[in-house]
Amino acid sequence: MLWDRYRGVLPEWELCEAACRTPAPKTIRTFPSRRPDAEVLRRLSAQGFALEALPFPPHVYRVTNEPFPIGRTLEHWLGYLYVQESVMALVAYALLEGTQARVALDLCAAPGGKTTHLSELLPEGTVVAADTSERRLRALGSNLQRTARLNVLSLRADGRSFPLGAAFDAVLVDAPCSAEGNAREDPRVLRDLPEATRRRLSRLQEALLRRAVRLVRPGGVVVYATCTFAPEENEAVVDRVLAEHPDLSVEPLSLPVPHTPGLAEFGGRRYDPRLRDAWRVYPHHLDSGGLFVVRLRRAGVEGAQWASPPLVHPSARIPENEAYRRVERALRLVTDDLGVAPHHLQGLRWMVTGKHLWLHRCSAWPPAQWEPGQRWELVGCGLRAFARWGRGEQRPTSWLVQWLGDRIQNRLDLHRDQWDRLLAGQTVPVSRPSGFVALSFQGEVMGAGLVRAGQVRHLIPAERAQQLREALTLRAP
Ligand SMILES: C[S@@+](CC[C@H](N)C(=O)[O-])C[C@H]1O[C@@H](n2cnc3c(N)ncnc32)[C@H](O)[C@@H]1O
């Protein structure tokens, strides 16, 4: 078996093997900026879930009783939690620990486990999240909206040729890899990899790390992480990049987590001895998956220069006065129709693209030399707050309404049977004037609705509505 090759380098081989014979316990990470942990735990425990806090990382809980998949709860649907392996929740700390980072880049971001975590740990900062895969970018987009990440700018971009010219405080390369650390979930990952695949992967990983080193400012930090144990994809990759960059040092991590050091040699190859400061977290260490992680720092000190995001995305070609009109109409709708006090929107910015109006808290925007359309394309900027609708009109999205939540005065609370009818595609009679409303269930805002001629219908996208229907069905009455 493939893993046998690590027998000689892993002192606790038996423990590791034993851990790998059982599935890893499921873990979730909460978002204290969205809802206090105590509230989320109380709600889950009322449905029969049992959760145990881990000593580290914070806000990560092991699910010890799961009456139905936790990813199908209403709390998940509302974006109060993310199902994430506990070991993967170390990576955001490895990147940000002890830094004053303001702008971080997640070069391989989808589906967003680490991006959403970085954004939570950098409430005043901006996270730029890039990926190449169309399918995975869609998953990233939906996770960013679900968990209401207002400080994330997401881009379609190839990390190997990510535009230069901006200097990030911190760059994460969570590289595509052979995923041996996921063996507890899928033993097929332990099949021997064809040599050509291994070489292709390590070339890709090296190109991504090389780019990351060029994208970080002097004094900034790069973290390289994989979920595999293969030294060809870990120490060997970092070793080659270190050899080319005398201005890079390896920084020890000081997180309170058991691990073994990076390898000094493997299969007759010697690696830079500084790689002993890399971490190998095996499945038995955290009763989770596997992780290789190393933190590099670029010598020097230099502040990063960033522009502010523009009101109109350059590719939208919308005159500024038209953009202002769209923002004014949106603001009126939020304050007058939904009844939100204007101070709730203080400090937030808008961005107009062809189809959407985004509400965000991103303070950094690619510099002028990043020509849109060349090497990068905007996927999202904070919350997709309004969508084009009808003849030049725009309507509030359910993402916006859900994020505004309790700040909305004009709520229409519907009973369970009314929700069933709405989610089955029917309208429900209501005594409200025509216009947009926030629809709630047991006082909690679920999404946007539209009242016309005394009938309301929901404006929740079809797939989300289907998930909500399931979540409400699974929930105890
Ligand atoms: C290990 S996964 C990232 C997981 C993600 N960081 C998370 O925590 O949810 C690696 C990602 O790299 C992306 N990827 C592959 N090649 C890439 C490239 N050249 N540039 C940017 N991303 C790439 C894949 O699409 C995949 O989403």
Side-chain angles (χ1 to χ4, degrees):
M1 157 133 108
L2 180 66
W3 260 40
D4 284 341
R5 67 194 198 120
Y6 306 133
R7 197 183 279 266
V9 296
L10 174 56
E12 298 144 357
W13 167 255
E14 277 78 22
L15 286 177
C16 181
E17 238 216 332
C20 288
R21 270 188 241 117
T22 54
K26 192 178 273 182
T27 45
I28 61 159
R29 182 169 50 73
T30 55
F31 293 89
S33 69
R34 304 269 292 136
R35 280 289 186 276
D37 283 14
E39 183 191 327
V40 177
L41 297 186
R42 182 179 46 70
R43 291 173 60 141
L44 291 170
S45 103
Q47 296 168 70
F49 290 90
L51 295 119
E52 232 173 53
L54 296 192
F56 193 86
H59 308 293
V60 175
Y61 296 85
R62 181 172 297 146
V63 185
T64 54
N65 192 47
E66 191 181 32
F68 57 91
I70 202 159
R72 291 166 68 189
T73 54
L74 185 58
E75 289 66 27
H76 182 272
W77 189 85
L78 287 163
Y80 300 161
L81 60 98
Y82 196 106
V83 179
Q84 184 179 41
E85 280 184 303
S86 52
V87 74
M88 291 303 157
L90 299 178
V91 177
Y93 290 100
L95 185 69
L96 299 179
E97 190 198 29
T99 70
Q100 304 282 314
R102 198 172 69 82
V103 189
L105 170 65
D106 187 349
L107 207 53
C108 304
K114 294 166 196 91
T115 304
T116 54
H117 198 187
L118 291 170
S119 126
E120 185 75 9
L121 297 180
L122 273 185
E124 305 299 324
T126 302
V127 182
V128 178
D131 207 286
T132 41
S133 154
E134 209 51 57
R135 182 178 57 83
R136 291 175 68 100
L137 277 167
R138 271 197 299 279
L140 172 70
S142 107
N143 280 324
L144 294 176
Q145 297 302 308
R146 179 176 68 84
T147 59
R149 301 294 95 195
L150 271 79
N151 60 345
V152 177
L153 195 63
S154 52
L155 314 177
R156 181 180 300 101
D158 189 322
R160 292 169 293 187
S161 51
F162 195 91
L164 299 170
F168 292 89
D169 300 311
V171 181
L172 172 62
V173 183
D174 187 27
C177 69
S178 54
E180 291 167 8
N182 294 346
R184 296 175 82 177
E185 261 55 77
D186 181 4
R188 284 173 306 175
V189 296
L190 293 184
R191 283 182 308 215
D192 258 325
L193 263 197
E195 207 35 52
T197 311
R198 178 93 68 201
R199 268 203 306 275
R200 182 187 59 75
L201 267 176
S202 67
R203 269 200 304 271
L204 170 59
Q205 291 155 343
E206 207 176 310
L208 288 164
L209 181 56
R210 274 212 186 89
R211 198 63 169 187
V213 170
R214 294 184 68 188
L215 287 163
V216 77
R217 68 168 171 80
V221 170
V222 173
V223 160
Y224 177 82
T226 71
C227 60
T228 198
F229 304 115
E232 299 86 339
E233 300 176 50
N234 293 326
E235 285 88 347
V237 168
V238 186
D239 178 76
R240 287 194 289 272
V241 176
L242 277 174
E244 289 163 15
H245 288 275
D247 59 339
L248 281 183
S249 57
V250 181
E251 273 197 352
L253 295 169
S254 57
L255 309 174
V257 172
H259 61 277
T260 62
L263 302 179
E265 63 172 312
F266 186 79
R269 279 214 48 192
R270 289 188 158 280
Y271 304 124
D272 188 317
R274 291 175 293 172
L275 280 165
R276 297 291 285 170
D277 279 331
W279 279 23
R280 295 181 146 253
V281 187
Y282 287 97
H284 62 290
H285 283 133
L286 277 186
D287 197 7
S288 183
L291 172 73
F292 172 87
V293 59
V294 62
R295 173 166 152 137
L296 311 174
R297 191 179 286 274
R298 210 176 142 193
V301 184
E302 195 175 279
Q305 297 293 314
W306 288 93
S308 284
L311 171 66
V312 184
H313 183 262
S315 70
R317 296 200 177 82
I318 295 170
E320 232 177 44
N321 54 356
E322 163 61 14
Y324 278 116
R325 269 200 296 277
R326 277 172 67 177
V327 170
E328 266 167 29
R329 279 203 302 271
L331 271 172
R332 263 204 309 278
L333 210 141
V334 172
T335 53
D336 301 356
D337 293 32
L338 298 179
V340 174
H343 73 264
H344 288 307
L345 299 175
Q346 244 166 34
L348 297 176
R349 299 161 187 252
W350 298 92
M351 184 184 287
V352 182
T353 58
K355 284 191 195 147
H356 298 112
L357 188 53
W358 300 82
L359 184 63
H360 68 93
R361 203 179 274 135
C362 298
S363 54
W365 182 252
Q369 60 265 49
W370 284 27
E371 279 291 309
Q374 287 186 342
R375 300 199 179 158
W376 71 283
E377 206 180 311
L378 185 80
V379 175
C381 179
L383 207 61
R384 198 188 305 143
F386 283 83
R388 292 305 286 268
W389 193 55
R391 281 184 232 105
E393 281 309 304
Q394 50 190 8
R395 63 169 175 79
T397 65
S398 284
W399 303 119
L400 170 74
V401 171
Q402 217 178 77
W403 172 74
L404 286 167
D406 292 351
R407 291 167 274 211
I408 298 178
Q409 300 295 317
N410 186 9
R411 284 184 247 170
L412 190 55
D413 202 55
L414 300 176
H415 306 301
R416 182 56 209 277
D417 55 334
Q418 291 174 309
W419 268 105
D420 286 345
R421 286 169 59 189
L422 279 189
L423 293 171
Q426 297 166 18
T427 57
V428 168
V430 287
S431 48
R432 286 283 176 122
S434 293
F436 295 107
V437 281
L439 300 174
S440 63
F441 174 58
Q442 297 180 345
E444 182 152 36
V445 175
M446 300 283 167
L450 179 65
V451 180
R452 283 259 167 89
Q455 298 281 328
V456 67
R457 67 183 173 90
H458 77 76
L459 297 174
I460 303 172
E463 197 184 343
R464 285 276 291 166
Q466 178 56 30
Q467 292 162 355
L468 175 58
R469 206 172 174 189
E470 265 176 42
L472 290 176
T473 310
L474 290 167
R475 197 180 167 79

